[in-house]
């Protein structure tokens, strides 16, 4: 049975790597959990809740000295010194940017698992900490922008005048960007977005944004993360940013490339073109920034009155929610590493997820892992031979005339020999069929279902008339009336069933749109 230590994060980080809810999950895997006192206080998780969930409260040295240590921020030299020999550390290690940390862990024969190296494959989505935190950070970026912005996001018409909606540009439509687009759109802003991956255009549109295409061919991403763009793309994108900077009120930048400094998107001249009081949220400030003039962790006001926010703790500003998602991702990873649920951690390098996150194993540096291809550019389809479709055979004129003559003859025969009032009813029926066929035949096929689902309710008239004839003394009339009631009832119930189903579709569609506006 392994002992897991939940450590208290350094000052400035309000999140915690496990919540009382995830403590219970870790316990069911056979692990004993120690929690450093006060670890969850900043995220509104008191020590008493951890004790109630089955954790043992300990001091700093005991928590860091556990067999398995769960953390958020990468440890410094002091924390590494507290780790037990042969321990396993699971945290955001940023191995591509911190090779010195990887080497320090290897010297202590520590096994290090980097949560920011989880591959973006379907099976690993439940462990994808970066996506969970980016989702929260994107939402919080809009909240911070709204706090600094001096107007409504939504447009309004009031007795005091008309208020135009805010215009928001989101640079980068990854997880953080989509979260920002959705949040800004739900507040009523006019949202535009750019991204080098044209396949995200539908996602942007689906949550209320407008995708601004850059008409330059871009190579598809093969690992789920953004790639460096070409010079042609950068040149055209820069033109779009310059154009948009003069028009929008808020810019939110999210562009990051794993293992590299953040690309520069917004120049100082672009910032100067923005209106006084405009807001820029640079979500990449911690890795160099997408905006010229942004400072990591700082709020800057330019000479032209533009506010630039370089906050690096956006997810931490929603500490309770972020801790819950982070802790759940972490518990899912520990569950993968504890297949027998016996409290023994087993790292299987044949598993692509486990191999990708392991940067150091028993003192051996295993970073970088083999490349994991999660997406590929669609292969060009071979030109298929055209298939000849035979045109539908049309009815000959002679046959059509013959059928019309037979129909007219049948109508006259019924009128000549049938007892009253059958001729009158039969004539009305024939005329209804002819007129109905002519009307429905001219309606587009896609509209047949909603049209018939409504008009079939008219069958209720047939039901009433047929029910009046069921008690007729003539047996043939009784049989025909019963059949009429049955068929008309099927029409009615079927029509209303289709109508309800279609109304439900429209209701869901409108609700989704309403939530995105």
């Amino acid at each position: 049975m392994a002992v897991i230590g939940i450590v208290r994060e350094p000052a400035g980080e309000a999140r915690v790597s496990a919540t009382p809810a995830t403590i219970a999950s870790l316990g069911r895997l056979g692990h004993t959990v120690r929690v450093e006192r006060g670890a969850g206080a900043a995220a509104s998780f008191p020590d008493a809740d951890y004790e109630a969930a089955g954790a043992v409260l300990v001091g700093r040295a005991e928590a860091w000295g556990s067999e398995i240590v769960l953390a958020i921020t990468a440890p410094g030299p002091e924390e590494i010194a507290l780790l037990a020999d042969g321990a396993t550390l699971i945290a955001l290690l940023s191995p591509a940017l911190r090779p010195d940390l990887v080497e320090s862990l290897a010297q202590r024969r520590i096994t290090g698992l980097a949560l920011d190296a989880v591959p973006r494959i379907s099976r690993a989505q439940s462990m994808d900490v970066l996506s969970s935190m980016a989702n929260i950070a994107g939402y919080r970026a809009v909240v911070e922008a709204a706090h600094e912005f001096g107007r409504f996001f939504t447009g309004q018409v009031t007795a005091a005048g008309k208020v135009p909606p805010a215009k928001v540009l989101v640079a980068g439509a990854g997880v953080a960007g989509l979260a920002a687009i959705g949040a800004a759109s739900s507040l009523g802003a006019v949202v535009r977005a750019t991204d080098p991956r044209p396949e995200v255009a539908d996602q942007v549109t689906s949550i209320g944004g407008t995708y601004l295409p850059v008409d330059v061919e871009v190579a598809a991403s093969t690992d789920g993360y953004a790639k460096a763009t070409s010079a042609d793309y950068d040149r055209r994108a820069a033109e779009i940013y310059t154009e948009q900077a003069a028009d929008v009120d808020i810019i939110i930048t999210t562009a990051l490339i794993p293992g590299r400094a953040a690309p520069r998107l917004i120049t100082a001249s672009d910032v100067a073109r923005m209106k006084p009081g405009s807001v820029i949220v640079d979500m990449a400030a911690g890795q160099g920034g997408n905006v010229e003039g942004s400072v990591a962790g700082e709020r800057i006001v330019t000479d032209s009155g533009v506010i630039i926010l370089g906050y690096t703790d956006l997810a931490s500003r929603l500490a309770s929610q972020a801790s819950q998602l982070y802790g759940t991702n972490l518990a899912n990873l520990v569950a993968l590493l504890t297949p027998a649920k016996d409290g023994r951690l087993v790292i299987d390098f044949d598993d692509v997820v486990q191999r990708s996150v392991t940067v150091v194993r028993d003192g051996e540096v295993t970073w970088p892992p083999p490349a994991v291809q999660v997406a590929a550019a669609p292969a060009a389809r071979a030109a298929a031979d055209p298939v000849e479709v035979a045109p539908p055979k049309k009815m000959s004129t002679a046959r059509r005339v013959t059928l019309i003559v037979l129909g007219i003859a049948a109508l006259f025969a019924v009128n000549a020999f049938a007892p009253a009032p059958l001729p009158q009813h039969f004539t009305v029926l024939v005329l209804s069929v002819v007129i109905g066929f002519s009307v429905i035949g001219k309606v587009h096929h896609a509209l047949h279902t909603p049209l018939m689902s409504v008009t079939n309710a008219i069958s209720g008239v047939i039901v009433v008339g047929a029910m009046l004839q069921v008690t007729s003394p003539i047996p043939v009339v009784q049989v025909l009336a019963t059949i009429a009631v049955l068929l008309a009832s099927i029409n009615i119930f079927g029509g209303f069933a289709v109508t309800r189903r279609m109304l439900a579709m429209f209701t869901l569609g409108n609700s989704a749109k309403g939530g995105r506006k």
Side-chain angles (χ1 to χ4, degrees):
M1 180 180 293
V3 178
I4 294 179
I6 309 300
V7 299
R8 185 172 184 172
E9 300 299 322
E13 177 55 74
R15 294 172 294 176
V16 63
S17 59
T19 66
T22 60
I23 292 292
S25 300
L26 297 174
R28 287 192 291 271
L29 296 172
H31 299 289
T32 300
V33 184
R34 297 174 180 171
V35 177
E36 183 180 349
R37 291 183 181 87
S44 302
F45 297 115
D47 290 344
D49 289 354
Y50 285 105
E51 284 190 301
V56 179
L57 298 179
V58 297
R60 178 177 175 78
E62 289 181 274
W64 278 100
S66 303
E67 298 174 61
I68 304 169
V69 177
L70 306 185
I72 295 177
T73 55
E78 294 182 4
E79 288 79 15
I80 293 177
L82 294 175
L83 290 169
D85 293 335
T88 298
L89 172 66
I90 307 177
L92 296 171
L93 302 179
S94 302
L97 299 176
R98 302 189 60 181
D100 56 330
L101 172 62
V102 175
E103 186 60 33
S104 298
L105 295 176
Q107 291 177 1
R108 289 289 317 280
R109 301 189 64 81
I110 302 297
T111 296
L113 305 184
L115 289 170
D116 40 1
V118 174
R120 285 193 166 166
I121 59 178
S122 299
R123 190 167 61 85
Q125 286 182 352
S126 63
M127 300 164 251
D128 191 353
V129 167
L130 289 183
S131 292
S132 297
M133 297 302 101
N135 181 31
I136 293 176
Y139 174 87
R140 184 68 191 196
V142 174
V143 174
E144 295 293 339
H147 174 69
E148 297 286 354
F149 191 51
R151 299 204 325 261
F152 292 134
F153 265 46
T154 184
Q156 290 189 4
V157 178
T158 70
K162 183 179 179 180
V163 179
K167 297 177 183 178
V168 179
L169 173 66
V170 179
V175 176
L178 291 173
I181 294 167
S185 178
S186 66
L187 288 174
V190 175
V191 186
R192 304 160 187 165
T194 63
D195 194 276
R197 297 161 294 183
E199 60 268 22
V200 305
D202 290 339
Q203 300 177 44
V204 171
T205 303
S206 69
I207 54 176
T210 300
Y211 179 71
L212 303 178
V214 178
D215 299 324
V216 175
E217 186 174 350
V218 180
S221 172
T222 58
D223 60 0
Y225 293 94
K227 297 292 185 183
T229 52
S230 65
D232 289 340
Y233 178 91
D234 293 341
R235 184 165 46 255
R236 176 59 189 135
E239 295 173 357
I240 292 178
Y241 292 134
T242 300
E243 295 167 1
Q244 293 297 317
D247 184 44
V248 300
D249 304 298
I250 296 168
I251 296 178
I252 299 175
T253 64
T254 70
L256 283 174
I257 301 173
R260 298 181 56 176
R264 184 58 49 84
L265 304 181
I266 308 298
T267 64
S269 60
D270 294 335
V271 175
R273 290 171 64 89
M274 298 185 72
K275 297 180 286 291
S278 299
V279 181
I280 300 176
V281 182
D282 187 355
M283 296 183 62
Q287 288 184 221
N290 298 141
V291 181
E292 187 174 357
S294 69
V295 178
E298 299 291 335
R299 175 186 183 272
I300 304 296
V301 181
T302 67
D303 295 338
S304 58
V306 178
I307 301 169
I308 305 177
L309 305 179
Y311 300 148
T312 58
D313 61 344
L314 291 171
S316 183
R317 294 181 179 226
L318 288 172
S320 181
Q321 181 69 76
S323 298
Q324 187 62 58
L325 295 182
Y326 187 98
T328 300
N329 292 145
L330 200 48
N332 290 333
L333 178 60
V334 174
L336 177 66
L337 300 174
T338 317
K341 298 183 180 180
D342 56 356
R344 293 180 60 251
L345 213 63
V346 180
I347 299 178
D348 180 10
F349 267 23
D350 291 331
D351 185 311
V352 65
V353 177
Q354 299 181 48
R355 176 64 186 89
S356 297
V357 300
T358 306
V359 298
V360 181
R361 185 180 188 183
D362 296 329
E364 178 188 358
V365 177
T366 59
W367 179 265
V372 179
Q373 183 169 327
V374 302
R381 291 186 177 180
D385 294 334
V387 179
E388 293 186 3
V389 180
K393 294 183 178 180
K394 294 184 178 180
M395 186 182 297
S396 64
T397 304
R399 187 178 180 184
R400 184 183 299 109
V401 171
T402 301
L403 291 177
I404 293 175
V405 170
L406 289 177
I408 295 174
L411 177 61
F412 275 104
V414 171
N415 284 330
F417 300 105
L422 185 57
Q424 295 91 326
H425 294 326
F426 189 74
T427 301
V428 172
L429 174 63
V430 171
L431 293 176
S432 300
V433 171
V434 172
I435 295 173
F437 181 81
S438 299
V439 172
I440 301 300
K442 296 183 183 301
V443 176
H444 192 276
H445 295 290
L447 299 177
H448 279 184
T449 299
L451 178 65
M452 295 306 295
S453 67
V454 176
T455 57
N456 279 348
I458 301 174
S459 298
V461 177
I462 300 175
V463 172
V464 174
M467 290 177 66
L468 294 175
Q469 298 299 322
V470 169
T471 58
S472 172
I474 304 174
V476 176
V477 175
Q478 293 179 0
V479 173
L480 293 176
T482 303
I483 295 174
V485 170
L486 175 62
L487 296 179
S489 298
I490 293 174
N491 252 353
I492 293 172
F493 290 113
F496 280 119
V498 173
T499 301
R500 287 177 60 85
R501 183 169 296 183
M502 296 199 65
L503 287 175
M505 291 171 57
F506 285 121
T507 302
L508 289 174
N510 289 332
S511 298
K513 290 179 181 178
R516 296 192 294 263
K517 289 184 179 178

